[in-house]
């Protein structure tokens, strides 16, 4: 069995958990496949729960890390130009706020070095990345990267070899970890006493208010809001002292934590807590209607796409992000509905999307072919992509935007 069903909350260990969203059974979204391997594809439940005690929103069905993050892990952050820009300015913030020459920065889940590449030269950097092929891409950029999962033991080894870190970052990875206690302990071990832990994750408030149900997939075990995170760090003698909303992946939060210091917190922390309270994120009621909202999006998308196909129109998809696969599989789309999906990631091209088995092709095809309709799966880059594809749109292609509401542009 490569998944387990938990019965306890990942943060507070309480058992008063309410299921509010069920998306069916899905294959892991970054396991792009090919004809020879379709038979071996496995599916696991994708159900989302709310903890009444600490208010963490989470998955309880946990697929093993080995099955999710492996040799052929298909996500290379630097494939998306706007994301590279984001990490460039993130690195500037870290330099300005915390870093001095020769300080050590350790990035957990460093992917292809998207953040650290902007810090080399300013300070010492070290990446930790479990997917060997992705770690190799970072090394090619000259970023020292350890293959493996971050643990207390690894943190001790790093301290022995490089000393303690002034800054530890974990972006789009802190929500991916089942044993959060181990990670927070390891971060504590690794940080200097005045060190800072900075972590970006997609934000529950954006997920709920913009109906970003497709950001639910097995890699994302937690859907964070500020309140449960404060509770988590508190348990380890740490404190959240600043929170910023950032405009990536459909809306994220950057959370700053440190060992308890007695120093004042940025007013942003109290403001965000209040915002979450007002939005209903601290009780189950707000979540109870979410399934209906999500089912409605599916209904609209399915009737649009199948309707166009019936009229003889060509429909394709744009971008094969992880979340796109949740959307495709939830809607039950296959290559009979969407002829192909274009993606800029070289490692995805030539493969089939997991579950839906739609061929991934190079975006170059759109210089010679003009589909009638293109389902924008990478909707988080909407403005960037609509602008980039102006010529295609002038030739008559229309984009179907699925999130936050179905729209044709
Ligand atoms: P992300 O939202 O997780 O960064 O994934 C975006 C995916 O979309 C990634 O596979 C790259 C792809 N993509 C394109 O194909 N074209 C584009 O213009 C952009 C920005 C992304
Ligand atoms: Zn809890």
């Amino acid at each position: 069995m490569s998944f387990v069903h938990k019965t306890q909350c990942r943060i507070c260990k309480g058992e008063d958990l309410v299921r509010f969203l069920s998306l069916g059974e899905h294959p892991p979204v970054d396991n792009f496949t090919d004809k020879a391997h379709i038979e071996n594809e496995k599916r696991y439940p994708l159900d989302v729960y709310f903890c009444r005690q600490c208010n963490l929103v989470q998955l309880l069905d946990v697929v093993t890390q080995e099955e999710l993050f492996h040799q052929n892990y298909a996500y290379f952050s630097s494939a998306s130009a706007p994301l590279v820009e984001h990490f460039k300015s993130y690195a500037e913030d870290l330099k300005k706020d915390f870093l001095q020459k020769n300080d050590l920065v350790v990035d957990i889940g460093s992917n292809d070095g998207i953040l650290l590449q902007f810090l080399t030269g300013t300070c010492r950097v070290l990446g930790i990345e479990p997917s060997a092929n992705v770690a190799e891409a970072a090394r090619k950029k000259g970023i020292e990267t350890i293959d493996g999962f971050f643990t207390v033991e690894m943190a001790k080894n790093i301290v022995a070899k490089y000393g303690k870190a002034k800054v530890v970052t974990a972006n789009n990875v802190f929500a991916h970890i089942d044993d959060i206690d181990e990670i927070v302990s390891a971060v504590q071990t690794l940080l200097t006493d005045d060190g800072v832990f900075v972590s970006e994750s997609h934000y529950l408030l954006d997920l709920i208010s913009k109906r970003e149900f497709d950001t639910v997939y097995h890699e994302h075990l937690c859907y964070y809001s500020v309140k449960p995170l404060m509770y988590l760090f508190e348990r380890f003698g740490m404190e959240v002292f600043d929170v910023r909303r950032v405009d990536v992946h459909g809306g994220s939060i950057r959370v700053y934590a440190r060992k308890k210091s007695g120093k004042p917190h940025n007013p942003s922390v109290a403001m965000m807590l209040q915002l979450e309270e007002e939005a209903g994120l601290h009780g189950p009621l707000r979540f109870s209607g979410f399934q209906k909202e999500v089912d409605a999006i599916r209904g609209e998308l399915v009737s649009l796409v199948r309707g166009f196909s019936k009229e003889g129109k060509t429909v394709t998809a744009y971008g094969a992000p992880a979340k796109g696969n949740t959307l495709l599989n939830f809607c039950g789309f296959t290559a009979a509905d969407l002829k192909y999906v274009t993606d800029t990631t070289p490692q995805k091209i030539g493969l089939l999307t997991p579950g839906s088995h739609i061929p991934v092709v190079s975006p170059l095809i759109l210089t010679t072919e003009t589909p009638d309709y293109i389902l924008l799966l990478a909707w988080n880059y909407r403005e960037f992509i609509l602008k980039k594809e102006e010529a295609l749109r002038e030739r008559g292609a229309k984009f179907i935007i699925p999130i936050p509401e179905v729209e044709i542009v």
Side-chain angles (χ1 to χ4, degrees):
M1 196 68 144
S2 37
F3 89 99
V4 286
H5 179 79
K6 293 168 69 103
T7 53
Q8 280 191 337
C9 168
R10 206 162 267 117
I11 285 187
C12 75
K13 321 299 173 200
E15 299 198 343
D16 195 358
L17 297 149
V18 193
R19 184 172 71 181
F20 68 90
L21 181 66
S22 200
L23 297 176
E25 299 215 321
H26 292 235
V29 284
D30 275 302
N31 289 1
F32 285 76
T33 186
D34 55 30
K35 281 217 172 83
H37 294 91
I38 285 179
E39 299 274 299
N40 306 338
E41 207 164 51
K42 297 195 192 89
R43 288 175 177 260
Y44 306 102
L46 209 41
D47 295 339
V48 191
Y49 297 77
F50 171 79
C51 171
R52 283 183 196 264
Q53 194 166 296
C54 76
N55 303 164
L56 178 67
V57 167
Q58 59 200 298
L59 304 189
L60 295 175
D61 297 296
V62 184
V63 180
T64 57
Q65 291 193 311
E66 289 70 22
E67 183 148 356
L68 298 180
F69 309 104
H70 45 67
Q71 266 300 334
N72 301 316
Y73 187 62
Y75 183 57
F76 290 77
S77 329
S78 300
S80 301
L83 204 59
V84 177
E85 280 308 303
H86 167 72
F87 279 101
K88 193 172 173 189
S89 91
Y90 186 164
E92 289 307 318
D93 289 347
L94 293 177
K95 285 188 220 172
K96 181 166 61 69
D97 296 339
F98 310 110
L99 289 168
Q100 291 184 346
K101 202 153 181 63
N102 287 329
D103 280 343
L104 176 66
V105 179
V106 178
D107 190 24
I108 307 166
S110 49
N111 202 278
D112 54 13
I114 190 164
L115 173 68
L116 294 180
Q117 66 187 348
F118 298 112
L119 293 168
T120 50
T122 305
C123 50
R124 294 179 295 136
V125 304
L126 179 64
I128 300 167
E129 173 54 50
S131 303
N133 58 329
V134 183
E136 192 49 37
R139 280 190 213 104
K140 285 206 175 111
K141 293 183 191 163
I143 295 156
E144 189 171 350
T145 305
I146 302 178
D147 280 343
F149 294 101
F150 187 57
T151 58
V152 172
E153 199 192 326
M154 186 189 279
K156 284 182 184 158
N157 292 337
I158 294 173
V159 172
K161 190 165 171 199
Y162 303 87
K164 292 201 173 193
K166 180 68 193 295
V167 171
V168 176
T169 51
N171 304 305
N172 305 307
V173 67
F174 199 54
H176 298 48
I177 290 156
D178 187 28
D179 189 352
I180 312 181
D181 288 9
E182 170 84 15
I183 299 298
V184 179
S185 293
V187 166
Q188 250 182 340
T189 307
L190 187 53
L191 277 181
T192 58
D193 284 345
D194 63 346
V196 182
F197 175 63
V198 191
S199 175
E200 278 188 6
S201 302
H202 56 282
Y203 187 31
L204 180 66
L205 182 54
D206 290 299
L207 191 165
I208 296 296
S209 62
K210 292 184 263 175
R211 286 175 273 186
E212 298 168 348
F213 72 90
D214 54 347
T215 60
V216 173
Y217 44 87
H218 300 108
E219 291 172 34
H220 289 165
L221 293 169
C222 297
Y223 301 83
Y224 285 124
S225 54
V226 175
K227 187 180 172 193
L229 280 171
M230 288 176 71
Y231 179 81
L232 169 70
F233 286 108
E234 180 79 20
R235 272 184 38 225
F236 285 85
M238 293 179 71
E239 59 188 0
V240 173
F241 67 92
D242 197 0
V243 184
R244 297 179 200 169
R245 285 183 89 166
V246 286
D247 191 18
V248 281
H249 294 302
S252 299
I253 38 172
R254 187 188 298 167
V255 175
Y256 294 76
R258 65 186 171 208
K259 294 178 185 174
K260 275 218 171 110
S261 68
K263 287 192 237 160
H265 297 174
N266 190 293
S268 60
V269 181
M271 278 162 53
M272 293 290 285
L273 271 184
Q274 193 187 341
L275 188 69
E276 290 175 4
E277 177 68 35
E278 285 165 7
L281 300 189
H282 301 160
L285 202 63
R286 172 63 184 91
F287 299 94
S288 60
F290 195 63
Q291 179 88 47
K292 267 209 186 106
E293 294 180 41
V294 168
D295 289 347
I297 292 186
R298 169 170 63 183
E300 275 185 69
L301 281 175
V302 168
S303 71
L304 262 188
V305 168
R306 302 228 161 111
F308 290 142
S309 296
K310 264 202 199 116
E311 289 170 21
K313 308 278 190 213
T314 307
V315 193
T316 66
Y318 196 104
K323 62 179 169 302
N325 290 322
T326 294
L327 187 141
L328 293 172
N329 286 314
F330 181 62
C331 290
F333 288 141
T334 65
D337 304 299
L338 301 160
K339 193 175 157 198
Y340 53 77
V341 45
T342 58
D343 195 280
T344 47
T345 314
Q347 292 82 354
K348 291 181 186 174
I349 294 170
L351 296 176
L352 300 172
T353 54
S356 52
H357 306 150
I358 299 167
V360 184
V361 301
S362 158
L364 276 177
I365 200 167
L366 299 175
T367 57
T368 52
E369 286 193 13
T370 310
D372 297 301
Y373 293 94
I374 305 173
L375 176 59
L376 183 61
L377 297 174
W379 49 260
N380 47 323
Y381 302 118
R382 172 187 173 136
E383 296 315 325
F384 174 85
I385 289 170
L386 290 180
K387 192 148 187 272
K388 178 166 131 185
E389 299 300 351
E390 242 161 35
L392 177 65
R393 295 168 66 206
E394 271 166 20
R395 296 203 315 267
K398 295 221 172 329
F399 277 88
I400 305 172
I401 316 281
I403 308 271
E405 56 204 348
V406 180
E407 201 187 331
I408 296 180
V409 295

